[in-house]
Structure formats: C-alpha cells, structure tokens
Amino acid sequence: MKIKDFKQGLKRAKIRLENDAVDNQLAQSLVETYAWAQFVYGQSIRRCFADSSNYLDQLKSQLGRFSLSTMHDEIIAKASNGIIDDVLVNHGKVVSAQKISPDLIIAKVQVSGIDSEVNVLSDFNSSFKRQQWTDYVVFGRKQGSAQWKIYNIVYGAHFHLNGEDFNHQQSLDISGYTEEHLEVSPELVKSAEDYKKRFNRRKNVKTVVRWIVFILGLLFVNHILG
C-alpha cells in the first residue's frame, strides 16, 4: 500500500493520528514490539537461506495472521533472490497515534539504527542502507492480552528487491537513504546460492506435479464421458 492510499483510507474512516494519543509506557512497548519484529524478520531470511524449517517461529509471536502471511511471502521472495535484510533498531518513538479500540492502535513510528539490504547474488553493488526511517504500523492484541502484535506495516521509505526500486514514493523521513557497496561473506553467498538451487528445484517439482494432476484429471474425465 502506498502512503497516499493509507492516508486517504484514514481520512475516509475519519481517523486522525495525534501526538499524545498513547502514554509513554505504551509507546515504548509498541516501539519494542516493532524493533524486535524487524530484527527477527532479518534473521528469518538468514534461517531461510539455511533451509531451516522453523524460520518463522519467532515471527509468529510478533505478527498477527495477516502480517505473518505477508512477511512469509516476502521472506521467501527475498531468500530466493539472494537478498538479505538486516535491521537493528537502536532508538525509536511514536510520533503520532490513534486508539481505534482498547486492543487496536494505528501509529506512526520513527526509529534510528541500521537497515541494510543487500543482494548477494547479483551485480547490484549499490545496496540499500539507511540510518533512520518512519513507518505506519497497525498494532493489535487479543482481548485480555498484554502482548501487542503487528498486524500491518505501511512502509514509509524506499525498498529494493533484486536490484530494483519497488517503491517510488516520497519518504516519510527527510534523511532518506544511501546506496553503497556492502560486503558480504563468501559463506553467506554460498548459502544463498544453495538455497536458490533448492528453491528452483522444489518449484520445478511442484510444476511437474500440477501438470501430472491436470493430465490425469483430463484422462479421468475422458474415461467417464467416453
């Protein structure tokens, strides 16, 4: 979702984000949830490289079902293209927010730290890096629970996939981002190459199985009708 589409949605729903909508303790809790989810997301891509079957386990405790499904697809897409995305949040704050209900909050979260995205399998040497960024985040929790989870994130800056800029929108932060060559270890490159081979092999097997099922289905229908 583009930032402008999100803002239009807020306007249609008559939701206005305000500076003091949440107290300091709650704001800190939301930032910690966001920071940990971002870190675990980067680690999940690396676990995916290693073909670990439990690469989503830690994210399950940080993300709601919709967001988890979205991140699962994104992790697979990045891993299969040899992309790592390491995120470490050092400091953050809730710029503005609105409580939609006791268990649902929309917040504009600004953080500083390191966000490095590198394609280790391509010649795209101008890798993505930023030190400050801002996102719109939808936080939710089950009724009666103290644990907040992320149910959606509207990215407030550019991001890359396979050496291409997929988000040509104005950033929410004037600091923007930088592009530079970021070194990666030979071991990581080999892990990415091995994962891509396994991914393509599984993809080909699934394609063959679909065709076999389709052909067997046609033969069965012809047999019934014949």
Side-chain angles (χ1 to χ4, degrees), residues 40-66:
V40 173
Y41 163 73
Q43 295 304 302
S44 296
I45 298 175
R46 289 177 176 269
R47 291 193 186 95
C48 196
F49 276 166
D51 214 25
S52 173
S53 60
N54 63 346
Y55 63 92
L56 282 179
D57 284 1
Q58 286 186 299
L59 272 178
K60 290 178 181 178
S61 64
Q62 302 296 317
L63 306 180
R65 183 179 299 177
F66 172 78

Short mmCIF file of all heavy atoms in Angstrom, two decimals, residues 40-66:
data_model
loop_
_atom_site.label_atom_id
_atom_site.label_comp_id
_atom_site.label_asym_id
_atom_site.label_seq_id
_atom_site.Cartn_x
_atom_site.Cartn_y
_atom_site.Cartn_z
N VAL A 40 13.96 -9.81 14.02
CA VAL A 40 13.65 -11.22 13.78
C VAL A 40 13.36 -11.46 12.30
O VAL A 40 13.70 -12.51 11.75
CB VAL A 40 12.45 -11.66 14.65
CG1 VAL A 40 12.00 -13.07 14.27
CG2 VAL A 40 12.83 -11.61 16.11
N TYR A 41 12.75 -10.47 11.64
CA TYR A 41 12.48 -10.58 10.20
C TYR A 41 13.78 -10.81 9.42
O TYR A 41 13.86 -11.70 8.56
CB TYR A 41 11.78 -9.31 9.72
CG TYR A 41 11.81 -9.10 8.23
CD1 TYR A 41 11.02 -9.87 7.38
CD2 TYR A 41 12.61 -8.11 7.67
CE1 TYR A 41 11.04 -9.67 6.02
CE2 TYR A 41 12.63 -7.90 6.30
CZ TYR A 41 11.86 -8.68 5.48
OH TYR A 41 11.89 -8.49 4.12
N GLY A 42 14.80 -9.99 9.72
CA GLY A 42 16.09 -10.16 9.05
C GLY A 42 16.71 -11.51 9.34
O GLY A 42 17.27 -12.16 8.44
N GLN A 43 16.63 -11.95 10.60
CA GLN A 43 17.18 -13.25 10.97
C GLN A 43 16.42 -14.39 10.30
O GLN A 43 16.99 -15.44 9.99
CB GLN A 43 17.15 -13.41 12.48
CG GLN A 43 18.05 -12.44 13.23
CD GLN A 43 19.49 -12.52 12.78
OE1 GLN A 43 20.10 -13.58 12.85
NE2 GLN A 43 20.04 -11.40 12.33
N SER A 44 15.12 -14.19 10.06
CA SER A 44 14.31 -15.22 9.42
C SER A 44 14.77 -15.47 7.99
O SER A 44 14.73 -16.61 7.50
CB SER A 44 12.83 -14.82 9.43
OG SER A 44 12.34 -14.72 10.76
N ILE A 45 15.18 -14.41 7.29
CA ILE A 45 15.69 -14.58 5.93
C ILE A 45 16.96 -15.41 5.96
O ILE A 45 17.16 -16.31 5.12
CB ILE A 45 15.97 -13.20 5.28
CG1 ILE A 45 14.67 -12.40 5.17
CG2 ILE A 45 16.60 -13.38 3.90
CD1 ILE A 45 14.87 -10.99 4.63
N ARG A 46 17.85 -15.15 6.92
CA ARG A 46 19.08 -15.92 7.03
C ARG A 46 18.78 -17.39 7.38
O ARG A 46 19.45 -18.30 6.88
CB ARG A 46 19.99 -15.30 8.09
CG ARG A 46 20.60 -13.96 7.65
CD ARG A 46 21.43 -13.34 8.75
NE ARG A 46 22.08 -12.12 8.30
CZ ARG A 46 23.30 -12.05 7.76
NH1 ARG A 46 23.98 -13.17 7.59
NH2 ARG A 46 23.83 -10.90 7.39
N ARG A 47 17.80 -17.62 8.24
CA ARG A 47 17.42 -19.01 8.55
C ARG A 47 16.83 -19.70 7.33
O ARG A 47 17.01 -20.91 7.15
CB ARG A 47 16.41 -19.03 9.71
CG ARG A 47 17.00 -18.62 11.06
CD ARG A 47 16.05 -18.97 12.19
NE ARG A 47 16.54 -18.45 13.46
CZ ARG A 47 16.18 -17.29 13.99
NH1 ARG A 47 15.27 -16.54 13.36
NH2 ARG A 47 16.66 -16.88 15.13
N CYS A 48 16.13 -18.92 6.52
CA CYS A 48 15.56 -19.47 5.29
C CYS A 48 16.68 -19.90 4.35
O CYS A 48 16.58 -20.95 3.71
CB CYS A 48 14.68 -18.41 4.62
SG CYS A 48 13.56 -19.08 3.37
N PHE A 49 17.74 -19.12 4.27
CA PHE A 49 18.92 -19.50 3.50
C PHE A 49 19.44 -20.87 3.93
O PHE A 49 19.86 -21.68 3.11
CB PHE A 49 20.05 -18.48 3.70
CG PHE A 49 19.95 -17.27 2.80
CD1 PHE A 49 20.71 -16.15 3.05
CD2 PHE A 49 19.09 -17.25 1.71
CE1 PHE A 49 20.64 -15.03 2.23
CE2 PHE A 49 19.00 -16.14 0.90
CZ PHE A 49 19.77 -15.03 1.16
N ALA A 50 19.44 -21.07 5.24
CA ALA A 50 19.96 -22.32 5.80
C ALA A 50 18.95 -23.45 5.68
O ALA A 50 19.20 -24.57 6.14
CB ALA A 50 20.34 -22.12 7.26
N ASP A 51 17.79 -23.14 5.07
CA ASP A 51 16.72 -24.13 4.86
C ASP A 51 16.18 -24.66 6.18
O ASP A 51 15.79 -25.82 6.28
CB ASP A 51 17.21 -25.29 3.99
CG ASP A 51 16.10 -25.83 3.08
OD1 ASP A 51 15.17 -25.06 2.78
OD2 ASP A 51 16.16 -27.00 2.70
N SER A 52 16.17 -23.80 7.19
CA SER A 52 15.62 -24.18 8.48
C SER A 52 14.09 -24.21 8.40
O SER A 52 13.47 -23.28 7.89
CB SER A 52 16.06 -23.19 9.56
OG SER A 52 15.41 -23.44 10.78
N SER A 53 13.50 -25.26 8.92
CA SER A 53 12.04 -25.41 8.84
C SER A 53 11.31 -24.50 9.83
O SER A 53 10.11 -24.26 9.69
CB SER A 53 11.64 -26.86 9.10
OG SER A 53 12.08 -27.27 10.39
N ASN A 54 12.04 -23.96 10.81
CA ASN A 54 11.40 -23.13 11.84
C ASN A 54 11.75 -21.66 11.70
O ASN A 54 11.79 -20.93 12.68
CB ASN A 54 11.78 -23.62 13.24
CG ASN A 54 13.28 -23.50 13.49
OD1 ASN A 54 14.05 -23.31 12.56
ND2 ASN A 54 13.68 -23.64 14.75
N TYR A 55 12.00 -21.21 10.45
CA TYR A 55 12.44 -19.83 10.27
C TYR A 55 11.36 -18.80 10.58
O TYR A 55 11.64 -17.62 10.76
CB TYR A 55 12.97 -19.61 8.84
CG TYR A 55 11.96 -19.79 7.74
CD1 TYR A 55 11.22 -18.72 7.26
CD2 TYR A 55 11.77 -21.03 7.15
CE1 TYR A 55 10.29 -18.87 6.25
CE2 TYR A 55 10.85 -21.20 6.13
CZ TYR A 55 10.12 -20.12 5.68
OH TYR A 55 9.21 -20.29 4.67
N LEU A 56 10.11 -19.24 10.69
CA LEU A 56 9.02 -18.30 11.00
C LEU A 56 8.61 -18.33 12.48
O LEU A 56 7.78 -17.52 12.89
CB LEU A 56 7.79 -18.61 10.15
CG LEU A 56 7.79 -18.15 8.69
CD1 LEU A 56 6.49 -18.57 8.01
CD2 LEU A 56 7.96 -16.65 8.59
N ASP A 57 9.19 -19.23 13.26
CA ASP A 57 8.72 -19.45 14.63
C ASP A 57 8.73 -18.18 15.48
O ASP A 57 7.76 -17.88 16.18
CB ASP A 57 9.54 -20.54 15.30
CG ASP A 57 9.15 -21.93 14.81
OD1 ASP A 57 8.25 -22.02 13.95
OD2 ASP A 57 9.74 -22.91 15.28
N GLN A 58 9.85 -17.44 15.44
CA GLN A 58 9.93 -16.24 16.28
C GLN A 58 9.01 -15.13 15.79
O GLN A 58 8.47 -14.36 16.59
CB GLN A 58 11.37 -15.75 16.34
CG GLN A 58 12.28 -16.60 17.21
CD GLN A 58 13.65 -15.99 17.37
OE1 GLN A 58 14.37 -15.80 16.41
NE2 GLN A 58 14.02 -15.69 18.60
N LEU A 59 8.80 -15.06 14.48
CA LEU A 59 7.91 -14.03 13.94
C LEU A 59 6.46 -14.27 14.34
O LEU A 59 5.67 -13.33 14.43
CB LEU A 59 8.03 -13.97 12.42
CG LEU A 59 9.11 -13.07 11.83
CD1 LEU A 59 9.12 -13.17 10.31
CD2 LEU A 59 8.91 -11.62 12.25
N LYS A 60 6.11 -15.52 14.58
CA LYS A 60 4.73 -15.84 14.94
C LYS A 60 4.31 -15.14 16.23
O LYS A 60 3.13 -14.84 16.42
CB LYS A 60 4.56 -17.36 15.09
CG LYS A 60 4.62 -18.12 13.78
CD LYS A 60 4.49 -19.62 14.01
CE LYS A 60 4.57 -20.39 12.71
NZ LYS A 60 4.50 -21.85 12.91
N SER A 61 5.27 -14.91 17.12
CA SER A 61 4.94 -14.25 18.39
C SER A 61 4.92 -12.73 18.26
O SER A 61 4.52 -12.04 19.20
CB SER A 61 5.96 -14.66 19.46
OG SER A 61 7.26 -14.19 19.12
N GLN A 62 5.33 -12.20 17.10
CA GLN A 62 5.40 -10.76 16.90
C GLN A 62 4.37 -10.22 15.92
O GLN A 62 4.04 -9.04 15.95
CB GLN A 62 6.80 -10.37 16.39
CG GLN A 62 7.94 -10.79 17.31
CD GLN A 62 7.87 -10.10 18.65
OE1 GLN A 62 7.62 -8.90 18.74
NE2 GLN A 62 8.09 -10.86 19.72
N LEU A 63 3.87 -11.09 15.05
CA LEU A 63 2.99 -10.63 13.97
C LEU A 63 1.62 -11.28 14.04
O LEU A 63 1.49 -12.45 14.40
CB LEU A 63 3.62 -10.94 12.60
CG LEU A 63 5.03 -10.42 12.35
CD1 LEU A 63 5.49 -10.81 10.95
CD2 LEU A 63 5.11 -8.91 12.53
N GLY A 64 0.59 -10.51 13.66
CA GLY A 64 -0.74 -11.06 13.51
C GLY A 64 -0.81 -11.91 12.25
O GLY A 64 0.11 -11.91 11.43
N ARG A 65 -1.90 -12.62 12.07
CA ARG A 65 -2.01 -13.61 10.99
C ARG A 65 -1.81 -12.99 9.61
O ARG A 65 -1.05 -13.51 8.79
CB ARG A 65 -3.37 -14.30 11.04
CG ARG A 65 -3.54 -15.39 9.99
CD ARG A 65 -4.90 -16.04 10.11
NE ARG A 65 -5.08 -16.68 11.40
CZ ARG A 65 -6.20 -17.28 11.79
NH1 ARG A 65 -7.25 -17.30 10.98
NH2 ARG A 65 -6.28 -17.84 12.98
N PHE A 66 -2.45 -11.85 9.34
CA PHE A 66 -2.34 -11.22 8.02
C PHE A 66 -0.91 -10.78 7.75
O PHE A 66 -0.34 -11.03 6.68
CB PHE A 66 -3.28 -10.02 7.93
CG PHE A 66 -3.11 -9.20 6.68
CD1 PHE A 66 -3.64 -9.62 5.48
CD2 PHE A 66 -2.39 -8.01 6.71
CE1 PHE A 66 -3.47 -8.88 4.32
CE2 PHE A 66 -2.21 -7.26 5.57
CZ PHE A 66 -2.75 -7.69 4.37
#
